[in-house]
Amino acid sequence: MPQVKDPSAHHHGNLRAALLAEAERVIDNDGLDALSLRGISKALGVTHAAPANHFGDLPGLLSELAADGIRRLAARQAAAVKEAGPDLRERAHAIARTYFKFAVEHPGLVTLMSRSNRLYRDRPSIKEADAEARRMVDEIASENQKKKKLDPVRAAAERTALRAMIHGYSMLYIDGRLGPTFASLPEGMTPEAFFDVVLDVIDFP
Amino acid sequence: MPQVKDPSAHHHGNLRAALLAEAERVIDNDGLDALSLRGISKALGVTHAAPANHFGDLPGLLSELAADGIRRLAARQAAAVKEAGPDLRERAHAIARTYFKFAVEHPGLVTLMSRSNRLYRDRPSIKEADAEARRMVDEIASENQKKKKLDPVRAAAERTALRAMIHGYSMLYIDGRLGPTFASLPEGMTPEAFFDVVLDVIDFP
DNA sequence: TACGTCACTTGACGGTGGAAAGTTACCACC
DNA sequence: GGTGGTAACTTTCCACCGTCAAGTGACGTA
């Protein structure tokens, strides 16, 4: 068959970045299940096998996407913590609030980030981004432990409680499973504001 | 109770129940992603289009599976609450502990139950089972609210905090994302025991 | 100029869920 | 005691998916 002599045919320029951008667009607009390699390839005018050069396979692409998401989230959390000042509780709430806001803005991406079965969790890019994100929570918990001379198990439980609460609340919300809850709330109370009250139920820090 | 028929060529006898059982077996052994209509159909010696008669489509089958899981979990939680006695905190912890134990025993099923995109959340069978499960948490929160004369928003936040904690901790655990946390814990501390400590971080009831 | 590698295309394979139409067994009714 | 309808299952087809192997063209380099 005729070969199309398009100079850009063999060198898209920045296909890798374009694929990631298009994948994120699809994921956040139509959900993780709507994403396919063939779909994003066609959208960029490239054949279905092109992504393999840059990402190997689908989990490979998703891993890079997730790692990027984790990094961006961690950056925003770091900024929020900085702005929150020295108070430990303020800092913890800033981390949680920022996560939730990010999850509302990018529900598909956050869903992907927490779905180990769709990515290669062991990739350095993900492990490092994950560690960076966890470091902030650990720092707060450690300071609190030192200040209150807490038993190490209690300190670990506080860390885990905050993580579980952030993850649980965000996922329940994204999944639409807090609908009845919000229906019973006062008019005008936003999910963000309610999350602050929920966080206050935790006895930490 | 379903009538048992003669398993002849065109009437399997109890295909519906057999499909659900096989699907649950696959899900809990190999994960939700390993499940396919064709797979379970072949395992039962039936063609891939047979399930459509009983469930319509794949989300239809998954919905029935999820509803059954929710019902069984709710029954176990009800029994645990009954055994826990009158103390509100004991009852709340019993609900949470039972959920987590169920999640450890049936990770695939619990994952499915919390994945709205794979099921028809609006089906009566699911909505009723869900409501039944939520009723127990609501009851505790209401009693606590009355006893302590709490602001309604605070009471709603307590309900939600418990739900988020249960869901978040279980999911993080199932996904293997608490690995580093457990590594830092004292020898012999089980995930169940640690969950009790995590639950104590919540100031409720 | 020749070579090797990168970036992408082409075409095929086995898998998926779903829809449409055909077959067979049973059951109620006249 | 035939007849018609319906439920349960099969067969065949379609569109789509990810992955793989082989091919092709452009480019940097020796």
Side-chain angles (χ1 to χ4, degrees):
Chain A
M1 274 312 286
Q3 326 284 351
V4 181
K5 298 294 171 83
D6 183 348
S8 69
H10 289 264
H11 288 294
H12 179 282
N14 208 347
L15 183 59
R16 190 194 145 91
L19 283 168
L20 287 175
E22 175 65 14
E24 182 167 345
R25 198 191 62 77
V26 171
I27 279 188
D28 274 339
N29 285 348
D30 307 326
L32 184 51
D33 294 339
L35 180 87
S36 76
L37 287 180
R38 294 177 111 104
I40 59 175
S41 298
K42 184 187 282 190
L44 296 179
V46 113
T47 62
H48 65 271
N53 295 294
H54 302 278
F55 304 103
D57 53 12
L58 179 58
L61 185 147
L62 295 180
S63 298
E64 295 310 309
L65 205 52
D68 191 57
I70 298 172
R71 263 184 248 116
R72 276 151 51 198
L73 169 56
R76 281 172 57 164
Q77 286 177 316
V81 165
K82 198 173 171 190
E83 198 184 358
D87 183 76
L88 288 184
R89 177 169 275 255
E90 278 304 313
R91 281 159 65 185
H93 280 223
I95 287 176
R97 254 195 303 263
T98 305
Y99 186 104
F100 180 67
K101 266 174 60 181
F102 190 84
V104 171
E105 288 172 29
H106 307 288
L109 187 56
V110 170
T111 300
L112 169 65
M113 281 157 46
S114 64
R115 283 263 198 86
S116 300
N117 56 322
R118 301 294 297 266
L119 354 78
Y120 299 123
R121 248 297 160 220
D122 285 339
R123 287 216 174 167
S125 55
I126 290 202
K127 283 177 85 168
E128 286 165 18
D130 250 340
E132 161 69 11
R134 205 162 36 224
R135 203 187 45 81
M136 286 179 284
V137 175
D138 286 353
E139 197 176 288
I140 295 175
S142 295
E143 278 197 37
N144 192 53
Q145 177 182 12
K146 206 169 65 177
K147 204 174 72 178
K148 301 189 184 156
K149 305 218 183 300
L150 294 176
D151 157 33
V153 174
R154 165 75 190 194
E158 289 179 348
R159 266 195 289 272
T160 305
L162 183 58
R163 283 181 67 198
M165 189 69 86
I166 291 173
H167 183 256
Y169 185 83
S170 300
M171 284 304 147
L172 288 177
Y173 178 78
I174 286 180
D175 235 37
R177 303 222 275 143
L178 294 182
T181 299
F182 288 127
S184 76
L185 257 34
E187 190 88 17
M189 173 149 236
T190 64
E192 286 86 1
F194 184 59
F195 190 29
D196 275 336
V197 186
V198 171
L199 285 171
D200 268 331
V201 180
I202 305 188
D203 189 23
F204 161 76
Chain B
M1 50 196 68
Q3 47 189 351
V4 180
K5 294 179 188 173
D6 172 56
S8 66
H10 285 79
H11 290 82
H12 179 280
N14 211 346
L15 219 206
R16 192 194 144 91
L19 284 167
L20 286 175
E22 174 65 14
E24 182 168 345
R25 198 190 62 76
V26 171
I27 278 187
D28 273 339
N29 285 349
D30 307 326
L32 185 50
D33 294 340
L35 179 88
S36 77
L37 287 179
R38 294 177 114 101
I40 59 175
S41 298
K42 185 187 281 190
L44 296 178
V46 112
T47 63
H48 69 273
N53 295 295
H54 302 279
F55 304 103
D57 53 12
L58 178 59
L61 185 147
L62 294 179
S63 299
E64 295 310 310
L65 205 52
D68 191 57
I70 298 172
R71 264 184 248 115
R72 277 152 49 198
L73 169 56
R76 280 171 58 164
Q77 286 177 317
V81 166
K82 197 172 170 187
E83 197 183 357
D87 183 78
L88 289 184
R89 177 168 275 256
E90 278 304 314
R91 281 160 64 184
H93 280 224
I95 287 177
R97 255 194 303 261
T98 305
Y99 185 104
F100 180 67
K101 265 174 60 181
F102 191 83
V104 172
E105 289 171 30
H106 308 287
L109 187 55
V110 170
T111 300
L112 169 65
M113 280 158 46
S114 64
R115 283 263 196 89
S116 299
N117 57 321
R118 299 295 295 268
L119 9 81
Y120 298 123
R121 205 39 95 192
D122 284 340
R123 288 220 174 164
S125 55
I126 290 202
K127 282 177 85 170
E128 286 164 19
D130 251 339
E132 162 68 11
R134 204 160 39 220
R135 203 187 47 78
M136 285 179 285
V137 174
D138 286 353
E139 197 176 289
I140 295 174
S142 296
E143 278 197 41
N144 193 54
Q145 178 182 12
K146 206 168 64 175
K147 206 173 72 176
K148 302 189 185 156
K149 305 225 184 294
L150 295 175
D151 157 34
V153 174
R154 164 76 190 195
E158 290 180 347
R159 267 195 287 272
T160 305
L162 184 58
R163 283 182 67 199
M165 189 69 87
I166 291 173
H167 182 257
Y169 185 83
S170 300
M171 285 304 146
L172 288 177
Y173 178 78
I174 286 179
D175 234 38
R177 303 221 274 143
L178 294 182
T181 298
F182 286 127
S184 76
L185 255 35
E187 190 88 15
M189 174 149 234
T190 64
E192 286 85 2
F194 184 60
F195 190 28
D196 275 337
V197 186
V198 171
L199 285 171
D200 268 331
V201 179
I202 305 187
D203 187 23
F204 162 75

